[in-house]
Amino acid sequence: DNTVVPVPATADALAAAVKTDKVAGKWYRLRFNYEQMPSVMKILKEMGISPASQQFDSTCRMEVKVRLSRIEDFQTSMSDFASVNPID
């Protein structure tokens, strides 16, 4: 008989586990003039991207994570407003 009987502690641990979904993405650093802020923020909002860090001055900087499936759209959308550089 090859019946597997779960160990009670294992069953309890699995029942209490929290499921976490991860999305594959790539980090980018944006640089843009303050005047471009409304356009940049509009694109981020439309794409559902939240900045992880940001610095606002005459030249603004942001770090964002972009889904792998949206990278081309992201780069195209941002090309008129910001320099987009991958973070290694």
Side-chain angles (χ1 to χ4, degrees):
D1 186 336
N2 290 335
T3 304
V4 176
V5 178
V7 177
T10 303
D12 290 344
L14 289 173
V18 176
K19 181 180 174 186
T20 303
D21 291 325
K22 301 244 179 183
V23 176
K26 186 168 184 165
W27 286 95
Y28 285 89
R29 182 171 292 121
L30 306 177
R31 289 184 48 193
F32 53 94
N33 292 327
Y34 186 79
E35 296 79 26
Q36 301 296 344
M37 177 76 68
S39 300
V40 170
M41 295 305 287
K42 180 178 183 220
I43 292 167
L44 293 178
K45 183 177 180 181
E46 288 173 353
M47 296 188 80
I49 299 171
S50 298
S53 68
Q54 50 196 19
Q55 176 186 354
F56 301 124
D57 249 335
S58 57
T59 300
C60 302
R61 293 179 181 85
M62 282 186 192
E63 291 183 358
V64 297
K65 186 176 183 183
V66 181
R67 289 177 180 251
L68 293 179
S69 63
R70 303 292 311 266
I71 288 175
E72 190 174 326
D73 292 338
F74 172 75
Q75 291 174 326
T76 301
S77 297
M78 285 294 179
S79 66
D80 290 336
F81 306 109
S83 70
V84 178
N85 297 302
I87 299 173
D88 296 325

